[in-house]
Amino acid sequence: MEYVANYEIKTECSVIADDLVLRIKHPKGLYRARIQNIPRPVYTTPFLLSLHLHFDAPTLDKAQDIADSFLADCLNMLAFTTGSGFRHHRIRQIVDATPGITGMRSLLMWGDSIEYENPQPFLREDTARDIERLLEFDILPAIRRALRWYRLGINATVPDDQFLNFWFALELVAEFQKSTEKVSDRCPQCRSPLYCESCKTHPVHRPYAKQAIRALLKAVDKECDDATIERLDKTRNSLMHGSTLKEIEDSLPQPHEQIVDILGRLLWKALIHQFPREMFDGRLAMGYPSTYIHRTLHGI
């Protein structure tokens, strides 16, 4: 069945004329895209492109996932060929466009979401005083960089990006404070130190990044078990090799985005441990969210 999805795209560049329509046809016939400016009367609203996507899907229920995949393909190539930013703003409709239908057509129509809710009131005079106290400690460059990646992870709107940003921060902290004491590699099955038959000894070396991260997580959270560390490491490897959280969700906690919260909270504890312990005597008001995931409610 043929469908048409109507997207709005935030962008850093526009079509050179409002009446010009760009058409992209996938060489294998997977989809056709139609791109045009959405003229705006004032500059206080974001500039948007209209992107209509024509594609085939077995049912209306499965059409959104298929359309989102094709949309990502279009946005990737637009960014690649222009060097400009293109971000999904919202979807308006997915309409059954199968030829020959004479009666009513099925469609999904998204209502406007409540995009800008009032934030949670948290900042107070104590917050400013707590920041001043933390700044009394001379934060080393590696930890400053880790704090930056933590901030970028909180700000990111895609769970995959949040996980990787948190991981970069965790790796910085682990590498910074890893022990100089040499360790041996371990058998992946029984976890015993590996033995070299030729040298008749257990080879040792400075901890690798993975070993340093394991030691850090065990130190900052006594309840962080080997299974959690292994799941985090496998998620990191999958994302770094091109998979998405959605693609590996069968091996993750449900919902699969929960792995982002697990990593975010462990990282927060690791960052806390980089400051002198005496600073945390019960007077500092520190907070972290119940979830790092950004969710938006859309009516359909």
Side-chain angles (χ1 to χ4, degrees), residues 74-254:
C74 286
L75 298 186
N76 291 344
M77 296 310 295
L78 283 167
F80 182 57
T81 56
T82 66
S84 299
F86 293 86
R87 297 180 299 278
H88 172 211
H89 178 56
R90 60 179 171 180
I91 184 171
R92 303 296 297 189
Q93 307 97 10
I94 296 180
V95 183
D96 184 353
T98 304
I101 297 179
T102 57
M104 295 181 64
R105 294 178 179 268
S106 300
L107 79 153
L108 299 175
M109 179 174 290
W110 277 255
D112 292 333
S113 62
I114 303 174
E115 188 172 359
Y116 301 107
E117 298 177 347
N118 284 333
Q120 179 180 351
F122 187 83
L123 300 175
R124 63 198 76 186
E125 284 291 332
D126 291 344
T127 307
R129 303 292 79 78
D130 293 341
I131 291 174
E132 290 174 350
R133 189 176 184 201
L134 289 171
L135 289 174
E136 292 174 1
F137 177 63
D138 188 14
I139 305 173
L140 295 174
I143 305 306
R144 289 182 184 275
R145 290 193 290 270
L147 286 167
R148 172 180 175 270
W149 283 113
Y150 178 66
R151 169 174 57 84
L152 295 177
I154 294 174
N155 290 346
T157 57
V158 179
D160 305 53
D161 295 340
Q162 289 184 290
F163 184 95
L164 289 176
N165 288 340
F166 287 159
W167 188 270
F168 294 153
L170 184 69
E171 197 165 289
L172 280 168
V173 176
E175 284 289 331
F176 166 72
Q177 70 164 49
K178 73 179 179 181
S179 172
T180 57
E181 183 180 348
K182 293 185 176 181
V183 298
S184 60
D185 288 325
R186 296 186 175 275
C187 170
Q189 299 297 326
C190 67
R191 308 302 300 167
S192 298
L194 294 178
Y195 181 76
C196 176
E197 294 289 347
S198 298
C199 301
K200 306 300 181 184
T201 185
H202 297 284
V204 294
H205 53 79
R206 288 198 66 193
Y208 296 137
K210 182 176 180 180
Q211 293 168 320
I213 289 171
R214 176 182 291 271
L216 173 63
L217 294 180
K218 291 280 190 179
V220 302
D221 190 335
K222 303 302 182 184
E223 296 182 0
C224 184
D225 55 19
D226 290 339
T228 298
I229 296 173
E230 192 67 25
R231 190 160 61 240
L232 290 169
D233 187 61
K234 286 184 176 179
T235 302
R236 176 264 180 202
N237 292 341
S238 296
L239 292 177
M240 291 297 287
H241 287 87
S243 297
T244 64
L245 288 179
K246 189 174 182 64
E247 290 171 342
I248 61 173
E249 62 182 359
D250 290 343
S251 63
L252 298 176
Q254 293 299 323

Side-chain angles (χ1 to χ4, degrees), residues 33-54:
R34 178 181 179 276
I35 303 171
Q36 190 172 17
N37 292 341
I38 300 178
R40 58 178 176 175
V42 293
Y43 290 97
T44 54
T45 58
F47 177 82
L48 300 173
L49 291 174
S50 170
L51 193 152
H52 287 196
L53 203 60
H54 296 251

